[in-house]
Amino acid sequence: GENVEQHPSTLSVQEGDSAVIKCTYSDSASNYFPWYKQELGKGPQLIIDIRSNVGEKKDQRIAVTLNKTAKHFSLHITETQPEDSAVYFCAANDGSGNTGKLIFGQGTTLQVKP
Amino acid sequence: GAVVSQHPSWVICKSGTSVKIECRSLDFQATTMFWYRQFPKQSLMLMATSNEGSKATYEQGVEKDKFLINHASLTLSTLTVTSAHPEDSSFYICSASAANYGYTFGSGTRLTVV
């Protein structure tokens, strides 16, 4: 089955700096790669996603890149703000279509220092 | 956007009793619902996948007789933790999925068994 590895586990940056979180996946049939932000005591919130037919996607300060050959995808947050502090999870579907299960990475705790 | 409502948000129960958690898709019909468990400072671990009108598919190591899942309609799935014990204390999160809607997560349920 699918296995998703996420790094780093913790990341501390100064406000205004960029933050990058990286994930690798194992199932070459995976075609959907979402990123979630989770605040304490809440469910995950989708912040951006990318499908396998696209190499990069951007939404304001957030971007995701995908390298299908290497089975890597990364989250880039520019101009970080204290409210970006949270736990971020990458995920990949198991390749069985739009309703296939999502497998999550281990999570990255991002701290943005004011 | 798609909204998933999960109730209760928190529950405390005595050891040996059963607890039911509800997950509803409010503005779309979810062909598939997923149940996750999350321990403190850990990732989301998939417990089971359920499709409307059929039996749930449980992940390896998850006891199907302990975690009863019912997906009676396209908008409602329930997870019942039977004969709960302190080690079942965790954060339970549901996710609803449908074509063109991606995956939408509930706000989670904090279960404490005393």
mmCIF file of all heavy atoms in Angstrom, chain B residues 23 46 82 96:
data_model
loop_
_atom_site.group_PDB
_atom_site.id
_atom_site.type_symbol
_atom_site.label_atom_id
_atom_site.label_comp_id
_atom_site.label_asym_id
_atom_site.label_seq_id
_atom_site.Cartn_x
_atom_site.Cartn_y
_atom_site.Cartn_z
ATOM 1 N N CYS B 23 -21.167 11.557 11.688
ATOM 2 C CA CYS B 23 -20.507 12.348 10.654
ATOM 3 C C CYS B 23 -21.506 12.584 9.532
ATOM 4 O O CYS B 23 -22.010 11.621 8.943
ATOM 5 C CB CYS B 23 -19.273 11.595 10.144
ATOM 6 S SG CYS B 23 -18.331 12.449 8.874
ATOM 7 N N LEU B 46 -5.694 5.946 9.345
ATOM 8 C CA LEU B 46 -6.964 5.491 8.797
ATOM 9 C C LEU B 46 -7.426 4.237 9.521
ATOM 10 O O LEU B 46 -6.664 3.279 9.670
ATOM 11 C CB LEU B 46 -6.817 5.212 7.301
ATOM 12 C CG LEU B 46 -8.075 4.757 6.574
ATOM 13 C CD1 LEU B 46 -9.128 5.868 6.574
ATOM 14 C CD2 LEU B 46 -7.747 4.340 5.145
ATOM 15 N N THR B 82 -17.395 0.421 20.959
ATOM 16 C CA THR B 82 -18.099 -0.448 21.895
ATOM 17 C C THR B 82 -17.174 -0.849 23.042
ATOM 18 O O THR B 82 -15.961 -0.986 22.857
ATOM 19 C CB THR B 82 -18.598 -1.715 21.192
ATOM 20 O OG1 THR B 82 -17.464 -2.444 20.692
ATOM 21 C CG2 THR B 82 -19.518 -1.369 20.034
ATOM 22 N N ALA B 96 -15.443 12.890 4.429
ATOM 23 C CA ALA B 96 -16.421 12.489 3.414
ATOM 24 C C ALA B 96 -15.873 12.823 2.046
ATOM 25 O O ALA B 96 -15.224 13.854 1.855
ATOM 26 C CB ALA B 96 -17.742 13.201 3.654
#
